[in-house]
Amino acid sequence: MTRKLLLGMALAISACSPQVAVAERTVPAAQSAPAIHPESGLEVVPLTVEAQGGTHQFRVEMARTPEQQQMGLMFRKAMGADEGMLFPYAQPRRLSFWMKNTVLPLDIIFIDPDGKVVNVAANAVPYSEEPLSSAGPASAVLELNAGRAAQLGIGPGTAIRW
C-alpha cells in the first residue's frame, strides 16, 4: 500500500511540473500580437538608426501595400518625435515622393538594400507636388518629422535596421 501511495504521489508531482513550466513560457496573446497604430491601423515596428557613433530607436508604421504607400502620412496632423513611417519595396529602384496632401513637414530618407542611407530630402514642404527623389537605387523610404535627420546626424551611409 505504501508503495502505491508513493508511486501515485510521484506521478501527481511529475504531472504538475511541466504545466507550470509551460505556463511560465507562454506569452499572453495580447503581448505576441503586433502593435497597431491607432490612427492609421498599420503595424508598428521598432527601427534603429546608427548615426554619429550612437544609436537611436524609433517606432515606425509599416506602409507595405501600394494602397498604404499611396496614403502614407497624408492628412496626419501630428507625429511623435520618435515615430515615423517606413515604406519597404521588394526591388531596389530610384524612388520619388511628394508631399501632396501631407500636412506635416518631413525628412524623407532613402535607404539602399544594405540598410544604408542613400540621401535625405530634408524639410520637405507640406502640400508640395515637387518630386523628391533618391540619389540612387533605394529599397525603402523612412519619413520622420522635419529636422530629425539633421538633429541625429542621419545622412548618406547611416545604418538603419528594422
Side-chain angles (χ1 to χ4, degrees):
M1 178 76 166
T2 305
R3 187 173 177 186
K4 285 183 181 180
L5 181 61
L6 290 175
L7 181 60
M9 288 175 50
L11 287 173
I13 291 170
S14 66
C16 292
S17 298
Q19 291 174 349
V20 172
V22 169
E24 291 172 353
R25 289 192 311 261
T26 303
V27 177
Q31 289 180 6
S32 63
I36 301 297
H37 192 274
E39 193 169 342
S40 68
L42 298 177
E43 177 185 8
V44 177
V45 301
L47 179 138
T48 302
V49 173
E50 296 176 16
Q52 295 183 344
T55 61
H56 192 83
Q57 299 291 319
F58 286 91
R59 302 278 301 155
V60 298
E61 299 166 61
M62 294 296 290
R64 295 181 194 276
T65 69
E67 295 78 20
Q68 293 168 342
Q69 292 171 350
Q70 184 177 359
M71 176 59 86
L73 288 168
M74 289 195 313
F75 308 110
R76 187 75 60 87
K77 294 184 177 155
M79 186 167 62
D82 294 328
E83 295 178 341
M85 185 172 282
L86 187 69
F87 302 75
Y89 294 89
Q91 296 296 320
R93 61 184 181 266
R94 289 186 62 99
L95 297 171
S96 286
F97 276 55
W98 64 356
M99 296 289 289
K100 183 177 181 177
N101 297 322
T102 305
V103 179
L104 301 170
L106 300 172
D107 287 343
I108 300 174
I109 302 165
F110 297 95
I111 306 165
D112 73 16
D114 295 325
K116 303 287 186 186
V117 172
V118 175
N119 64 298
V120 177
N123 297 307
V125 177
Y127 304 106
S128 173
E129 293 186 25
E130 178 184 344
L132 303 167
S133 302
S134 60
S139 59
V141 173
L142 173 62
E143 291 182 342
L144 301 176
N145 285 312
R148 284 301 269 162
Q151 183 181 33
L152 297 171
I154 300 171
T158 298
I160 298 182
R161 296 187 322 268
W162 63 91

